Amino acid sequence: MYLSIQNILAMVFLIFLSQVKSNHFSPGELWLDDKGMHINAHGGGFLIQGDTYYWFGEHKIEGKEGNKAQVGVSVYSSKDLYNWKNEGIALEVHDDPNSLLVKGCIIERPKVIYNKNTKKYVMWFHHEIKDRGYDAAMTGLATSDHVTGPYTYIKSVNPHAGLWPSNYPDSLKSKPVDLEKYKRPSQEWKDAVVDGVFLRRDFEKGQMARDMTLYVDDDGKAYHFHSSENNQTLHVAELTEDYLDFSGNYTRVLHGEQNEAPAIFKKDGKYYMFSSGLTGWKPNPGKSAVADHPMGPWTSLGNMCVGTEEEMNTTFWSQSTYVLPVIGKKDAFIFMADRWNPDNPIDGRYIWLPVEFDNSTPVLRWYDQWDLSFFDNK
Ligand code: GAL
């Protein structure tokens, strides 16, 4: 291979940069790992094990094909949140065309939780079947005995076939699925959505599960939050004790409010959710909500972003993916989001901002640069 002097200098510069330890966050900038490469873990999910953070995310490649899974789910580790070690591919896509996890399928927003009883690492993710766009709306499951993998793919499902949400009134269960009757958008259409017309449509075959997150409560119970009902309504589902399945107990929350990209955290006994609206890769105003229990009811708190009109209308040009509590610091939470680049997904950027509280309501403000000492004076 011929390398020009410019290429060699660029490589030397990258190696030099990768040796320089970082001690702050610079939202939206390139973020190099220990090998000098921009971190490739989009739609990320985080897991704390002891004194180490693990960052799982969508591995993307250059060009539009990079929006599909060509490699799998990456994993990185860090002790300080600034400097990340590339731990490789946690879940690899298959070459076998008969596997649902075949190269070219879509894997998004992978989240990993650890089950203390079974000692298994459990990954759930949004999974779409190859060449079927976003039609399948499934959630996939993979497990491993080791945090960094390799993870073994188990299955993908449309959850809750033949099961009603616990908060769905009997009076609505026999209403017709008369989707063709409504002009979209119209008030009638919105009412039908809130009443669960899509829920009833999917009752037999199982519900849609697109943008998702996992939340493990202090009592060890795990919840799977996902955009369902054509992305119109969130479902919050309890997982079984081993986290490998849905228990069957689930609720519909924020009915008809089009929430995507949910991220959950808990402070002073209250559960908070950051989420986004529904505009694909384009950013939109942030949303927040509060509840006394993960399964709801959830009360909307409005846009959590404080800043210019543009910042508020675009969530600082990003879409939420996770809220991470910082090890050893009280009430210290980091909002984590993606600044997508669908034309060249590998160049998607990460927006991390400290969560601040105005009278116990969580808010976000932009900082060009910040570090964990931000939380020390709170
Ligand atoms: C977004 C969603 C992403 C991805 C994208 C595809 O709304 O949050 O995870 O699915 O749509 O257009």
Side-chain angles (χ1 to χ4, degrees):
M1 185 175 61
Y2 170 74
L3 286 176
S4 68
I5 193 79
Q6 283 90 341
N7 280 341
I8 293 169
L9 284 176
M11 277 166 62
V12 169
F13 185 59
L14 280 181
I15 292 168
F16 165 74
L17 278 184
S18 68
Q19 302 307 310
V20 178
K21 288 265 178 233
S22 172
N23 56 6
H24 58 262
F25 305 112
S26 302
E29 300 296 319
L30 277 180
W31 194 348
L32 305 185
D33 65 10
D34 61 321
K35 297 193 170 110
M37 304 296 286
H38 179 48
I39 293 174
N40 195 340
H42 309 265
F46 291 75
L47 179 69
I48 295 174
Q49 288 286 275
D51 62 353
T52 308
Y53 298 92
Y54 293 91
W55 177 351
F56 297 85
E58 303 158 24
H59 179 285
K60 308 263 198 186
I61 63 164
E62 280 178 16
K64 287 199 170 143
E65 280 306 293
N67 292 310
K68 298 182 188 142
Q70 311 294 348
V71 176
V73 173
S74 351
V75 55
Y76 293 78
S77 68
S78 172
K79 300 236 188 246
D80 62 8
L81 290 173
Y82 308 119
N83 299 285
W84 289 87
K85 176 172 179 232
N86 188 338
E87 300 276 4
I89 301 303
L91 174 68
E92 247 183 289
V93 290
H94 297 182
D95 282 321
D96 173 5
N98 297 317
S99 166
L100 282 188
L101 207 74
V102 64
K103 213 175 262 186
C105 69
I106 293 174
I107 298 178
E108 289 180 348
R109 301 183 176 276
K111 305 286 177 280
V112 175
I113 52 182
Y114 177 65
N115 191 291
K116 288 192 183 121
N117 298 325
T118 62
K119 303 200 167 23
K120 292 261 181 219
Y121 294 90
V122 180
M123 179 191 292
W124 287 91
F125 52 93
H126 171 194
H127 190 197
E128 297 289 347
I129 294 174
K130 183 172 186 252
D131 298 330
R132 279 187 41 196
Y134 280 85
D135 272 6
M138 294 176 129
T139 183
L141 170 70
T143 64
S144 180
D145 291 331
H146 307 282
V147 59
T148 54
Y151 283 74
T152 306
Y153 174 57
I154 311 284
K155 63 176 178 182
S156 296
V157 293
N158 288 119
H160 304 123
L163 295 172
W164 293 113
S166 61
N167 62 347
Y168 197 56
D170 283 343
S171 57
L172 294 176
K173 289 178 184 164
S174 52
K175 264 194 140 183
V177 179
D178 44 6
L179 277 161
E180 66 297 331
K181 205 172 109 186
Y182 307 102
K183 272 208 190 104
R184 306 179 194 195
S186 65
Q187 192 51 49
E188 270 187 309
W189 157 251
K190 280 194 193 141
D191 293 345
V193 166
V194 170
D195 272 2
V197 66
F198 290 116
L199 177 86
R200 298 194 298 276
R201 181 195 65 186
D202 295 338
F203 179 72
E204 297 293 343
K205 86 173 205 2
Q207 299 295 326
M208 299 172 84
R210 288 201 181 120
D211 278 15
M212 54 86 50
T213 197
L214 301 177
Y215 178 76
V216 180
D217 209 347
D218 304 333
D219 61 3
K221 265 200 181 169
Y223 300 88
H224 188 300
F225 288 69
H226 49 270
S227 297
S228 194
E229 304 183 31
N230 266 27
N231 302 349
Q232 304 295 312
T233 293
L234 279 174
H235 288 183
V236 187
E238 192 186 70
L239 293 178
T240 49
E241 275 182 22
D242 57 10
Y243 304 164
L244 302 179
D245 216 333
F246 291 88
S247 77
N249 180 20
Y250 75 112
T251 51
R252 307 173 73 218
V253 307
L254 301 168
H255 315 40
E257 291 187 23
Q258 304 191 324
N259 281 281
E260 284 203 323
I264 313 297
F265 62 105
K266 186 179 187 180
K267 180 178 177 280
D268 300 332
K270 298 253 182 226
Y271 301 83
Y272 294 93
M273 183 192 314
F274 289 150
S275 59
S276 76
L278 182 56
T279 53
W281 300 118
K282 294 205 184 82
N284 53 50
K287 303 188 195 196
S288 59
V290 62
D292 290 326
H293 190 277
M295 299 190 76
W298 285 84
T299 307
S300 179
L301 294 173
N303 190 342
M304 67 288 196
C305 303
V306 177
T308 65
E309 205 175 321
E310 184 182 329
E311 287 172 339
M312 294 176 68
N313 284 337
T314 63
T315 314
F316 311 102
W317 286 94
S318 73
Q319 186 181 29
S320 40
T321 188
Y322 204 80
V323 174
L324 180 71
V326 179
I327 299 174
K329 289 193 192 268
K330 194 173 177 294
D331 296 340
F333 301 94
I334 303 179
F335 165 79
M336 297 163 155
D338 293 280
R339 185 172 283 175
W340 302 113
N341 183 348
D343 290 332
N344 191 25
I346 193 173
D347 194 33
R349 304 297 174 90
Y350 310 107
I351 305 300
W352 287 18
L353 294 170
V355 178
E356 299 179 69
F357 292 89
D358 279 359
N359 296 321
S360 79
T361 300
V363 297
L364 302 173
R365 295 187 179 85
W366 178 260
Y367 296 95
D368 286 334
Q369 208 179 80
W370 65 283
D371 62 50
L372 294 175
S373 68
F374 183 93
F375 297 113
D376 294 344
N377 313 319
K378 298 282 138 188

